[in-house]
Amino acid sequence: MRNIKDINLILPIYYKFDDRIAKRTTYKDKLKKIIKNNIGDKIIGKTILVNMNWYRNAHHIEQNDVKKIYSDLIQDQFRDMEINRMLVDIKYVVNYKLFYKSLACDMPNITAMMSKFVNDAIQELGLVKNDNVKFLVREVHEVGGQDKENPRCEIVIKEIKEF
């Protein structure tokens, strides 16, 4: 069995919503303009940078949908690992390394969302008892560099004993 100090995850920082079919004749777009549709028209899905600015403005259903997708991505990566799930009372640290697409990227806005998704997911998976300050004792957020083709956040979770 592996222990939690061996965990490495990679998460995308952009999410693409699926195209959908209009169910209403009007809706508000990102700029709050009223758009007229015919029921049955195809509405092209949008791509979002998953960050605090998006989260603050998104509808709660959209927030929950994206959180569920990220939780599934995290769970899929854990599925291939044999992790000792009896390590629930451990103290741990998480390192986030951001590989951005554009220089206008705001690292803390993105890594804060990744932190929320990762810590909630590992708690739900039973790898940690809680993600409060008793167990999650440190987070490090850093820039890994620019990657226009594969913007992502690389995450390393480590058990610590010296805290």
Side-chain angles (χ1 to χ4, degrees):
M1 285 286 186
R2 290 171 63 173
N3 116 29
I4 200 168
K5 67 183 170 190
D6 301 321
I7 296 175
N8 295 296
L9 303 170
I10 297 175
L11 294 176
I13 60 173
Y14 288 91
Y15 178 74
K16 167 87 169 86
F17 285 93
D18 294 333
D19 296 343
R20 58 189 166 83
I21 303 301
K23 295 180 181 173
R24 299 180 299 207
T25 56
T26 63
Y27 72 98
K28 291 184 179 180
D29 75 355
K30 189 167 147 178
L31 300 173
K32 307 296 185 215
K33 295 184 297 189
I34 300 295
I35 307 295
K36 299 259 185 214
N37 291 316
N38 292 317
I39 294 176
D41 283 354
K42 184 176 183 179
I43 299 172
I44 303 300
K46 60 185 175 181
T47 299
I48 60 164
L49 176 60
V50 180
N51 64 16
M52 294 299 292
N53 296 332
W54 160 77
Y55 191 81
R56 177 192 64 224
N57 296 320
H59 189 275
H60 66 91
I61 292 174
E62 186 176 276
Q63 292 171 349
N64 289 337
D65 289 348
V66 172
K67 183 177 178 183
K68 173 75 171 110
I69 294 295
Y70 273 78
S71 180
D72 290 347
L73 286 171
I74 294 164
Q75 189 167 3
D76 288 347
Q77 291 181 54
F78 277 110
R79 192 170 286 128
D80 296 335
M81 301 177 205
E82 286 188 29
I83 303 292
N84 182 356
R85 292 183 188 256
M86 300 307 292
L87 298 172
V88 293
D89 283 332
I90 64 166
K91 294 183 186 314
Y92 69 103
V93 300
V94 186
N95 295 316
Y96 300 90
K97 188 178 287 190
L98 177 68
F99 292 86
Y100 57 89
K101 184 175 186 175
S102 163
L103 287 172
C105 191
D106 186 349
M107 181 191 57
N109 278 341
I110 297 168
T111 57
M113 287 308 306
M114 297 298 121
S115 172
K116 176 71 176 148
F117 293 157
V118 166
N119 287 298
D120 286 352
I122 64 175
Q123 183 177 331
E124 289 170 15
L125 290 168
L127 295 171
V128 297
K129 188 170 189 174
N130 202 309
D131 61 352
N132 63 24
V133 296
K134 182 177 177 185
F135 301 100
L136 174 59
V137 295
R138 185 180 320 126
E139 283 192 338
V140 177
H141 301 248
E142 62 182 312
V143 174
Q146 187 173 28
D147 189 340
K148 293 181 181 181
E149 301 302 316
N150 184 23
R152 67 195 177 280
C153 188
E154 295 181 357
I155 299 123
V156 177
I157 305 168
K158 296 180 182 179
E159 175 183 1
I160 61 168
K161 299 179 189 318
E162 76 273 0
F163 204 87

